[in-house]
C-alpha cells in the first residue's frame, strides 16, 4: 500500500507520522459517489428553486411543517438540532479536533475543520442560489445545513476509523457510506420533525456532504504533501548525500 492509501511514512526521531485522510483504495469510489451526490443536489435545487411549499415527494415522505415530534422524542430532536447550531457545532468540531490529535492524526484534525467549514459554507451559498423557503420568505431551507454538517462529521469519523482499523476497499466504503447514511437520516428526521426543513432539503444536505467531504479530503492530502512531505524528502536526500 502506498502513502496515499494511508500507509505510515517513514520518519526519523522527532518527526511526526503523516497519513492520508483519503485512502487511495476509497478515493475513486467516493469520488464517483460525490459526483452523483452533486448531481442530485443540482437536480433538486432546480426543481424547487424559488418554492415556498412542500413538493409531492415531501408530502409523500413526511408532513414537513407539522412540528409533529412529541415528547420524549422532541427533546432528542432539539438536542440534535442544537448540535448543528453555531455553539453546538463549534463544540463538536473542537471535540473532533482534540480526538484526532490524541490519536496522532493531525492531518485528520485539519480535515475536521476544513470539511465541516466547506460543507456548511456550501449549503449556505446554495440556499441563497436556490431560494427555497419554509415558514416565510426569510427562512431559506435548501439544502439542510444541519443534515449536511452531521453527515460530514460522520463521513470524516468513518474515514479515520477505516484507517485505524486497516479496512479494505469494500469494508471501508461500506463503513463510510453507512455512517454518513445513519447520521443523515437521524439529523434529517430531527430537522423535518421540528418543521425546520422539508424532506428534500435533508436529502440535499446529505448529498452535499457526500460531494464535499471526499473532495476536501483530497485537497487536504495534496496540500499536506506539498507543505510537509517534500521538505522531509529533501532533508532525507541531503542526509544520504552526506554519508561517506
Amino acid at each position: 500500500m502506498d502513502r496515499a492509501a494511508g500507509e505510515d511514512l517513514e520518519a526519523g526521531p522527532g518527526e511526526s507520522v503523516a497519513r492520508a485522510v483519503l485512502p487511495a483504495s476509497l478515493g475513486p469510489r467516493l469520488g464517483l459517489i460525490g459526483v452523483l451526490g452533486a448531481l442530485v443536489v443540482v437536480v433538486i435545487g432546480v426543481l424547487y428553486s424559488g418554492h415556498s411549499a412542500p413538493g409531492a415527494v415531501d408530502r409523500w415522505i413526511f408532513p414537513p411543517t407539522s412540528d409533529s415530534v412529541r415528547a420524549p422524542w422532541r427533546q432528542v430532536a432539539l438536542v440534535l438540532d442544537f448540535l448543528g447550531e453555531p455553539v453546538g457545532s463549534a463544540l463538536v468540531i473542537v471535540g473532533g479536533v482534540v480526538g484526532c490529535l490524541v490519536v496522532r492524526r493531525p492531518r485528520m484534525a485539519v480535515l475536521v475543520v476544513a470539511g465541516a467549514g466547506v460543507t456548511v459554507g456550501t449549503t449556505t451559498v446554495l440556499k441563497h442560489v436556490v431560494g427555497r423557503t419554509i415558514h416565510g420568505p426569510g427562512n431559506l431551507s435548501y439544502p439542510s445545513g444541519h443534515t449536511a454538517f452531521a453527515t460530514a462529521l460522520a463521513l470524516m469519523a468513518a474515514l479515520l476509523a477505516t484507517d485505524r482499523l486497516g479496512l479494505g476497499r469494500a469494508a471501508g466504503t461500506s463503513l463510510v457510506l453507512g455512517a454518513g447514511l445513519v447520521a443523515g437520516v437521524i439529523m434529517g428526521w430531527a430537522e423535518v420533525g421540528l418543521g425546520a426543513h422539508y424532506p428534500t432539503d435533508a436529502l440535499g444536505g446529505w448529498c452535499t456532504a457526500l460531494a464535499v467531504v471526499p473532495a476536501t479530503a483530497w485537497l487536504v492530502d495534496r496540500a499536506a504533501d506539498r507543505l510537509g512531505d517534500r521538505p522531509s524528502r529533501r532533508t532525507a536526500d541531503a542526509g544520504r548525500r552526506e554519508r561517506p
Side-chain angles (χ1 to χ4, degrees):
M1 187 181 297
D2 60 15
R3 182 190 66 223
E7 192 73 18
D8 280 336
L9 292 174
E10 294 186 7
E15 292 185 39
S16 61
V17 176
R19 297 177 73 94
V21 293
L22 182 65
S25 59
L26 271 60
R29 290 188 176 189
L30 294 183
L32 176 60
I33 292 169
V35 171
L36 294 176
L39 289 175
V40 172
V41 172
V42 171
V43 169
I44 297 177
V46 170
L47 289 176
Y48 294 106
S49 177
H51 286 210
S52 58
V57 175
D58 298 312
R59 291 190 293 268
W60 176 72
I61 295 175
F62 196 80
T65 60
S66 61
D67 206 20
S68 59
V69 177
R70 295 291 179 257
W73 293 108
R74 181 173 176 78
Q75 299 305 315
V76 176
L78 288 172
V79 170
L80 291 171
D81 180 74
F82 169 75
L83 295 178
E85 294 295 318
V87 175
S89 60
L91 292 174
V92 173
I93 291 172
V94 169
V97 169
V98 171
C100 291
L101 295 179
V102 167
V103 297
R104 297 183 61 209
R105 292 295 185 271
R107 191 180 292 195
M108 182 59 73
V110 173
L111 177 61
V112 169
V113 177
V118 175
T119 300
V120 173
T122 301
T123 60
T124 301
V125 171
L126 287 173
K127 283 180 179 180
H128 288 87
V129 171
V130 175
R132 190 185 196 188
T133 60
I134 187 170
H135 304 316
N139 301 310
L140 297 173
S141 67
Y142 181 85
S144 168
H146 282 68
T147 306
F149 176 72
T151 303
L153 290 177
L155 293 174
M156 293 183 288
L159 285 173
L160 177 60
T162 296
D163 171 57
R164 291 186 62 80
L165 296 174
L167 300 181
R169 179 181 303 170
T173 303
S174 298
L175 176 61
V176 172
L177 293 182
L181 178 61
V182 170
V185 167
I186 291 175
M187 184 61 84
W189 162 80
E191 293 304 297
V192 174
L194 292 172
H197 286 283
Y198 305 111
T200 45
D201 295 336
L203 176 59
W206 183 66
C207 289
T208 299
L210 289 180
V212 169
V213 171
T216 305
W218 184 86
L219 290 173
V220 168
D221 280 332
R222 300 290 77 75
D225 288 344
R226 287 177 175 274
L227 296 175
D229 296 343
R230 289 184 178 179
S232 296
R233 284 199 209 97
R234 288 197 297 268
T235 301
D237 290 342
R240 283 194 293 268
R241 288 195 299 268
E242 291 174 0
R243 291 176 184 174

